[in-house]
């Protein structure tokens, strides 16, 4: 069994193109999409259309929950949502907002954040620095992780959300964060995805990093969206250091 996992495309059609070229060369048996599909400004309509054609098993991310009534709570999020409504069809938005929180593909349990929340994180916990502005992800307490994973009785538990790929074992369960197709946090702007493979009843994770045309993604955002300057800094740096400013 070879299972391709993508997560956190964030509306970046250019990063998605590169990931799918690499993914298809690996000939997976199935695809998992862990959510946060369209919340971004590097051609989200095309990113949504391409993802819809993957026939993937999908779960919702926290940004899909922003599509719910009252789901957008701050001014920037509301501006992004208003712009996305000009880019995406009502049917696409309805499909994304109705995605399930979790899914199973055979022995693999999939979620965006944790089994109970698309907003929380499974492998990593955010810890603020003393300035209260910056911070970093640290590993979750191993006993807390065991309590979250053991009841699932899965060979693999795979998640996204933190944009930080990695894996550990909890008993006989492989716990994997698939990383993010777009919007990296580690200073490496390449697009990420993960190939899960089961041989002789043992699962392994191959973390993939794929170069893509960042210049083209930035040009699209600068030309077609009010969020181009933020997208420029985010995609080129590979660091999610700010929330950006919106040009009216």
């Amino acid at each position: 069994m070879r299972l391709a996992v993508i997560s956190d495309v964030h509306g970046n059609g250019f990063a998605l193109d590169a990931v799918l070229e690499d993914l298809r060369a690996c000939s997976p048996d199935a695809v998992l999409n862990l959510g946060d599909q369209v919340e971004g400004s590097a051609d989200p309509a095309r990113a949504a259309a391409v993802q819809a054609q993957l026939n993937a098993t999908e779960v919702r991310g926290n940004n899909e929950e922003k599509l719910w009534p009252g789901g957008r709570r701050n001014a920037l999020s509301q501006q992004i949502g208003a712009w996305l409504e000009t880019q995406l069809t009502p049917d696409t938005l309805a499909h994304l907002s109705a995605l399930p929180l979790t899914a199973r593909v055979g022995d693999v349990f999939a979620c965006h954040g944790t089994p109970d929340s698309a907003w929380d994180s499974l492998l990593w916990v955010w810890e603020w620095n003393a300035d209260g502005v910056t911070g970093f992800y640290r590993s979750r307490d191993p006993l807390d992780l065991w309590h979250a994973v053991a009841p699932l009785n899965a060979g693999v538990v795979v998640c996204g959300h933190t944009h930080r790929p990695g894996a550990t074992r909890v008993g006989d369960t492989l716990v994997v964060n698939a990383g993010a197709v777009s919007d990296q946090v580690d200073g490496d702007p390449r697009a990420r995805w993960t190939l899960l493979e089961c041989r002789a009843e043992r699962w392994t994770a191959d973390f993939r990093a794929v170069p893509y045309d960042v210049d083209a993604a930035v040009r699209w955002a600068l030309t077609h969206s009010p969020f181009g300057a933020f997208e420029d800094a985010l995609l080129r740096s590979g660091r999610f250091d700010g929330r950006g400013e919106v040009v009216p």
Side-chain angles (χ1 to χ4, degrees), residues 6-240:
I6 63 172
S7 187
D8 298 275
V9 174
H10 283 284
N12 188 339
F14 301 86
L16 181 61
D17 289 341
V19 161
L20 293 181
E21 182 178 357
D22 190 48
L23 183 157
R24 287 166 178 146
C26 295
S27 300
D29 299 298
V31 179
L32 266 175
N33 188 336
L34 302 184
D36 281 11
Q37 292 190 26
V38 300
E39 190 87 355
S41 56
D43 206 350
R46 183 166 64 84
V50 171
Q51 289 173 90
Q53 295 169 1
L54 292 178
N55 195 31
T57 298
E58 300 172 305
V59 299
R60 71 175 182 265
N62 59 300
N63 281 290
E64 275 77 42
E65 293 190 4
K66 290 180 182 179
L67 303 176
W68 295 354
R72 295 185 180 276
R73 297 173 184 170
N74 64 50
L76 175 58
S77 179
Q78 290 168 6
Q79 290 176 63
I80 292 172
W83 179 76
L84 283 174
E85 288 181 357
T86 71
Q87 304 295 303
L88 304 171
T89 68
D91 285 348
T92 295
L93 293 170
H95 167 76
L96 293 173
S97 66
L99 291 175
L101 180 64
T102 66
R104 281 186 181 265
V105 176
D107 199 28
V108 177
F109 179 96
C111 58
H112 179 75
T114 71
D116 300 316
S117 170
W119 293 84
D120 295 334
S121 55
L122 190 61
L123 275 178
W124 321 109
V125 177
W126 184 257
E127 188 162 295
W128 292 102
N129 290 323
D131 60 13
V133 176
T134 61
F136 61 96
Y137 282 114
R138 63 170 175 81
S139 297
R140 178 177 289 279
D141 179 275
L143 287 178
D144 287 346
L145 185 58
W146 184 86
H147 284 297
V149 168
L152 303 175
N153 297 311
V156 182
V157 175
V158 63
C159 60
H161 187 48
T162 61
H163 297 219
R164 183 179 179 183
T168 190
R169 281 202 170 270
V170 176
D172 294 327
T173 300
L174 179 65
V175 184
V176 176
N177 190 298
V181 172
S182 188
D183 303 5
Q184 307 307 327
V185 299
D186 60 2
D188 180 350
R190 291 179 296 173
R192 318 299 173 86
W193 70 281
T194 295
L195 180 66
L196 299 176
E197 187 167 11
C198 186
R199 292 185 178 182
E201 299 183 353
R202 288 191 61 84
W203 285 95
T204 59
D206 179 10
F207 297 104
R208 316 278 293 198
V210 186
Y212 74 98
D213 193 343
V214 175
D215 288 341
V218 169
R219 282 197 303 271
W220 197 100
L222 287 167
T223 302
H224 300 285
S225 88
F227 314 109
F230 173 54
E231 202 78 36
D232 189 351
L234 171 63
L235 299 185
R236 292 191 194 281
S237 69
R239 293 185 58 86
F240 205 113

